[in-house]
Amino acid sequence: MISVASIFDHAVTLALAILSLSFLVTIYRIVKGPTLPDRILGLDMLVAIAIGFIAVIGIKTGYTLYVDVAIALGLVGFLATVAFARFVLSRGKTEDDILSEAREAASAARRQAKAAAKARPGSAAGGMDPGPVAGKTSGRQDNE
Amino acid sequence: MNELVTLVSAAFLVIGSFFALVASIGLLRLPDVYTRMHAASKAGTMGSCLMLIALAIHATDVGTMSRALAGVVFFLLTAPVSSHLLAKAAYAVGYRLHASAVMDDMKPKDEA
């Protein structure tokens, strides 16, 4: 006959292990997540899992002050998700929009550089002109 | 009686963590942000609420129990609000549904 206490200990350990696994899976989604809303959703899920962790640790240690920590963490997670949603709305662009804008800017700059080189075939101006333009386009691509 | 309470709280812990695992697998496997929202905001909230209920069952004093249940109610109220806001913001900005989505009720009528 297994004692109730040992069943309980095993349940706590099992819960902690499963929660750790789901934490790792969620972090993979946050790192991989193709878009910003995916990452925000992952952070929301991370907060939910952390609340679960706090509940399990509160049961395991019997230190019931952890309940207040869980409630405060839930409040912070809610406010963070709302603020991020407002940020997505006020940014007003998807990742695809930003990429295509950067590509358009780069090709426009390339066209401009080519036109400038054709208009002034002088060696000094032709050598100097594409330099800053190329630097500008690469700077934009870094911003993506 | 005391043993029964301990067993029930252990069961709630394991079931709640299982819900959290299912939610994170859904977050991993589903195709776009709107479908992932189903997993994260329903199964995820269910998981953390079940674990807080386990804490409430296991607690011996009324204060801890009522605070844990207040936390459960708070999460049940805030999770739909936050994920609805996020979904609405993502849709308004123009994040597309996955190609396998069969219908889009919010698409403007003249484009349909």
Side-chain angles (χ1 to χ4, degrees):
Chain A
M1 173 78 192
I2 314 163
S3 74
V4 173
S6 85
I7 290 177
F8 186 73
D9 281 348
H10 282 106
V12 166
T13 312
L14 183 65
L16 283 176
I18 295 175
L19 279 176
S20 308
L21 191 62
S22 53
F23 210 83
L24 287 179
V25 171
T26 311
I27 284 176
Y28 177 78
R29 171 52 68 200
I30 291 177
V31 172
K32 183 107 185 307
T35 66
L36 180 63
D38 284 312
R39 297 198 167 95
I40 299 169
L41 202 61
L43 282 177
D44 202 28
M45 184 65 211
L46 224 52
V47 168
I49 295 173
I51 288 165
F53 261 120
I54 290 171
V56 177
I57 296 294
I59 290 178
K60 190 181 159 82
T61 60
Y63 196 58
T64 54
L65 204 62
Y66 280 121
V67 184
D68 300 322
V69 179
I71 292 174
L73 185 62
L75 181 63
V76 169
F78 170 64
L79 289 179
T81 310
V82 170
F84 269 125
R86 295 293 300 176
F87 170 66
V88 168
L89 201 58
S90 69
R91 188 173 70 159
K93 297 184 238 183
T94 65
E95 274 78 358
D96 289 342
D97 294 341
I98 294 169
L99 269 179
S100 62
E101 259 172 36
R103 274 201 205 98
E104 259 167 39
S107 69
R110 218 170 290 131
R111 239 179 287 126
Q112 211 175 351
K114 214 175 272 177
K118 206 176 273 179
R120 283 178 292 158
S123 62
M128 280 301 287
D129 228 9
V133 175
K136 197 177 166 195
T137 54
S138 73
R140 287 223 178 170
Q141 275 163 353
D142 282 349
N143 278 341
E144 285 167 20
Chain B
M1 186 60 204
N2 204 8
E3 290 189 345
L4 185 68
V5 166
T6 307
L7 282 180
V8 168
S9 119
F12 269 66
L13 269 187
V14 174
I15 295 170
S17 60
F18 183 72
F19 265 100
L21 181 65
V22 168
S24 59
I25 290 174
L27 214 59
L28 186 70
R29 303 255 315 151
L30 289 172
D32 65 359
V33 66
Y34 306 103
T35 48
R36 280 175 199 144
M37 215 162 268
H38 284 283
S41 70
K42 283 184 284 204
T45 309
M46 184 80 184
S48 54
C49 281
L50 278 180
M51 280 183 274
L52 276 180
I53 290 174
L55 203 158
I57 293 172
H58 191 258
T60 46
D61 59 327
V62 181
T64 308
M65 194 184 287
S66 60
R67 269 181 295 165
L69 292 180
V72 169
V73 171
F74 180 74
F75 296 136
L76 285 180
L77 284 180
T78 57
V81 174
S82 65
S83 57
H84 183 99
L85 265 176
L86 185 59
K88 222 174 162 203
Y91 193 90
V93 164
Y95 287 101
R96 304 272 169 75
L97 272 68
H98 189 248
S100 62
V102 292
M103 73 187 289
D104 181 2
D105 278 336
M106 281 174 75
K107 190 189 279 182
K109 283 285 185 290
D110 49 326
E111 283 178 26

